[in-house]
Amino acid sequence: MTACWYVLHSKPNNEELLWEQLSSRKVETFYPRIRVQTVNPRARKVKPYFPGYVFIHADLEQVAPSTLQWMPGARGFVSFDSQPSMVPDALIHAVKKRVDEINAAGPESRELFDGLKHGDQVEIQSGPFAGYEAIFDARLPGSERVRVLLMMLQGKSLTKMEIPAGLLERKKRHKPILL
């Protein structure tokens, strides 16, 4: 078997510890982080893009999964049917690209989300809900995440979701044509 990407779930606020543990054991990791503009000057200026998760690239026939899932800071693999789930290389590359774009833009350029008001229509641009329309609910304080209301079941049900602000784009409103 060859090396594949997997996701390790970390204990709360232990992504950094888990990443350090994996790095010290020479396990290839991807720990996506973004720079944030904080309200508190003592707060961390870099936060995980996926809080609670670290990606690893390993051959699980060569490295026993138990040594990875039970190391300090880890809660275990993201699994289905008790088998660690593989993450496609293309998804890892897409996430890396998106995180690089967000970090290149810097926290200051994210002010366009400050202009969003409760009730504004937005569209999710990437991720598993790409193309879905949602209603902006709130920006979560001290983070680059927002809460949106996703329209489910043909618009009859609204589901609250917290997602990275960088995945949203304000829905362009069509102005009526006056004749």
Side-chain angles (χ1 to χ4, degrees):
M1 188 172 169
T2 60
C4 297
W5 286 101
Y6 299 93
V7 182
L8 269 176
H9 189 51
S10 74
K11 293 179 180 173
N13 300 312
N14 276 276
E15 303 89 356
E16 190 87 22
L17 170 66
L18 180 57
W19 175 70
E20 289 170 357
Q21 292 289 321
L22 292 162
S23 297
S24 71
R25 289 174 173 78
K26 307 283 190 254
V27 176
E28 183 182 353
T29 61
F30 174 47
Y31 172 38
R33 294 159 287 193
I34 57 172
R35 287 178 302 198
V36 293
Q37 193 168 8
T38 60
V39 177
N40 181 346
R42 293 179 302 225
R44 292 181 4 197
K45 306 250 187 289
V46 176
K47 296 204 176 181
Y49 191 62
F50 295 109
Y53 300 96
V54 175
F55 297 92
I56 64 161
H57 192 244
D59 181 348
L60 295 184
E61 288 183 358
Q62 300 293 322
V63 179
S66 61
T67 60
L68 299 172
Q69 67 185 7
W70 299 115
M71 67 177 43
R75 290 179 80 181
F77 282 96
V78 172
S79 303
F80 294 101
D81 289 334
S82 301
Q83 295 296 318
S85 297
M86 288 186 261
V87 177
D89 289 343
L91 180 60
I92 297 295
H93 293 298
V95 170
K96 283 181 181 179
K97 181 180 175 196
R98 183 66 184 146
V99 168
D100 289 345
E101 289 171 356
I102 290 170
N103 284 329
E108 304 81 26
S109 70
R110 295 181 213 134
E111 291 173 1
L112 74 112
F113 297 106
D114 291 337
L116 287 174
K117 297 183 299 281
H118 176 75
D120 284 351
Q121 288 188 328
V122 293
E123 184 174 326
I124 301 172
Q125 296 298 305
S126 60
F129 295 99
Y132 280 81
E133 292 182 14
I135 298 170
F136 180 79
D137 188 29
R139 183 170 182 160
L140 302 176
S143 75
E144 295 297 317
R145 297 179 70 78
V146 295
R147 184 173 48 237
V148 296
L149 304 172
L150 187 65
M151 290 182 240
M152 303 291 280
L153 302 173
Q154 299 172 351
K156 295 180 182 178
S157 170
L158 294 175
T159 302
K160 286 184 182 180
M161 283 180 53
E162 293 180 9
I163 62 174
L167 299 182
L168 292 182
E169 183 175 290
R170 185 186 313 263
K171 184 105 168 102
K172 302 202 180 4
R173 294 189 178 158
H174 298 287
K175 294 182 180 177
I177 301 172
L178 299 175
L179 299 175

